[in-house]
């Protein structure tokens, strides 16, 4: 199953000191083939970004999302919703955005 993690920043934004931990966290999820795609929403405060997880259950997705250093640090609130992914058009993806673990 797939779950979309929608991240909303708190009123104080996201402190720079949490950035490295978040990037490491996402990198580990990529190595485990749990992150399908993700990215930020520049200039769309309070919406910070989103990522799509591949998990066994919605509960697992929630557990993963709430272990993000951004969430643990109190800078981000995340909403996790099941997404019935029905198609991906690889030709529409900017190749420079592709990363392989």
């Amino acid at each position: 199953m797939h779950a979309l993690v929608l991240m909303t920043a708190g009123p104080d934004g996201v402190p720079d000191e949490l950035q490295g931990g978040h990037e490491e966290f996402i990198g580990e999820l990529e190595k485990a083939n749990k992150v399908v795609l993700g990215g930020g929403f520049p200039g769309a405060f309070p919406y910070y970004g989103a990522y799509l997880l591949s998990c066994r259950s919605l509960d697992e997705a929630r557990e993963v999302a709430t272990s993000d250093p951004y969430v643990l640090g109190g800078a981000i609130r995340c909403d996790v919703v099941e997404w019935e992914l029905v198609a991906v058009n690889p030709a529409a993806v900017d190749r420079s955005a592709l990363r392989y673990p």
Side-chain angles (χ1 to χ4, degrees):
M1 66 84 55
H2 292 95
L4 183 63
V5 179
L6 300 162
M7 299 184 295
T8 305
D12 297 327
V14 179
D16 290 339
E17 61 266 16
L18 295 178
Q19 181 72 29
H22 171 74
E23 289 175 2
E24 185 176 315
F25 168 77
I26 294 295
E28 291 301 315
L29 293 176
E30 288 173 340
K31 288 177 191 171
N33 290 320
K34 288 198 174 289
V35 170
V36 178
L37 57 86
F41 302 138
F45 185 82
Y47 305 106
Y48 191 75
Y51 53 93
L52 183 63
L53 291 173
S54 177
C55 291
R56 290 183 302 272
S57 69
L58 193 55
D59 285 339
E60 179 189 359
R62 286 185 180 119
E63 184 177 318
V64 168
T66 56
S67 64
D68 186 328
Y70 279 164
V71 176
L72 294 174
I76 292 287
R77 179 180 60 83
C78 64
D79 293 309
V80 182
V81 295
E82 186 171 351
W83 186 1
E84 187 177 325
L85 185 63
V86 295
V88 175
N89 178 358
V93 176
D94 178 353
R95 297 283 180 212
S96 69
L98 296 178
R99 296 197 314 210
Y100 298 92

